[in-house]
Amino acid sequence: MTGVDAFLGRLDPEVYVVTAAAGGERAGCLVGFASQCSIDPLRFVVWLSKVNRTFRVAGRADRLAVHLLARDQYALAELFGGSTGDDGVDKFAHVPCTRRQDGAVVLDDAPAWFVGRIVLRTDGGDHVGFVLEPVESGGRAGRDGQEEPGEQGERGEPPEAGEQGGRRVPLLRLTDAAAISPGHPVG
């Protein structure tokens, strides 16, 4: 590696599933470019490829849902990263999901998620950044929708998102998803 590749090659960020709904359509994709981008006010940015169907639906949406995946959810990452609604695939038909009151679509099995109001769209080249103001968040509960036994933190409070049984759940990272062939053209 040369130049900036030596830097970028060392990164191994979490990957996310981002979902969008607008005009009776829903879409979702696997995202490798995302980060908190402000502390006060709290903001998070997700970058969507301009050739991605999710980008087109997100362009008409006012909110997006952002989901973390556990390392054992590779099949879910493959579904959202390796197929496209442009080919008639309804990714949501294959997974439990809930439409929130604001219209956002949340994947029920995500260990942690948030819905964010889009406050800014910014062109970054082949991707567009959607800056989000988080308005709702949650995570995977027990099978009956309640916390599973032992799902309390040290002081009796619920565990932080991404934790189960008081221990952190390993999250799916870019290197874990590297073998997934994109469902849309790259570039």
Side-chain angles (χ1 to χ4, degrees):
M1 288 190 227
T2 61
V4 76
D5 289 342
F7 176 85
L8 296 175
R10 293 178 179 264
L11 301 179
D12 192 18
E14 295 87 4
V15 292
Y16 306 84
V17 170
V18 175
T19 59
E25 289 185 87
R26 56 188 184 176
C29 65
L30 190 66
V31 170
F33 304 144
S35 177
Q36 182 176 339
C37 60
S38 176
I39 296 170
D40 189 14
L42 180 60
R43 298 289 188 262
F44 194 91
V45 64
V46 294
W47 294 89
L48 301 179
S49 169
K50 292 178 180 178
V51 298
N52 190 314
R53 181 172 182 272
T54 305
F55 166 76
R56 293 190 305 274
V57 175
R60 299 186 317 271
D62 63 346
R63 296 171 193 265
L64 301 178
V66 181
H67 309 79
L68 284 169
L69 300 180
R71 190 165 286 152
D72 65 0
Q73 292 180 297
Y74 182 87
L76 188 58
E78 191 169 39
L79 173 65
F80 279 89
S83 59
T84 176
D86 288 335
D87 294 336
V89 176
D90 181 0
K91 300 173 192 182
F92 300 94
H94 304 283
V95 297
C97 57
T98 302
R99 181 174 222 100
R100 309 305 291 183
Q101 187 172 14
D102 59 15
V105 179
V106 171
L107 306 180
D108 296 343
D109 290 336
W113 57 266
F114 77 91
V115 172
R117 185 177 64 83
I118 301 168
V119 296
L120 176 70
R121 293 172 176 91
T122 185
D123 193 315
D126 61 359
H127 284 65
V128 170
F130 290 75
V131 179
L132 307 174
E133 172 190 22
V135 295
E136 182 183 9
S137 63
R140 177 173 50 203
R143 289 188 181 99
D144 60 359
Q146 302 296 315
E147 293 177 355
E148 296 191 43
E151 288 279 315
Q152 296 292 316
E154 290 179 16
R155 297 186 188 127
E157 69 274 2
E160 292 184 27
E163 293 186 5
Q164 289 178 340
R167 68 183 191 290
R168 281 216 175 272
V169 175
L171 298 175
L172 193 70
R173 296 190 165 279
L174 191 58
T175 54
D176 299 323
I180 299 172
S181 296
H184 62 79
V186 177

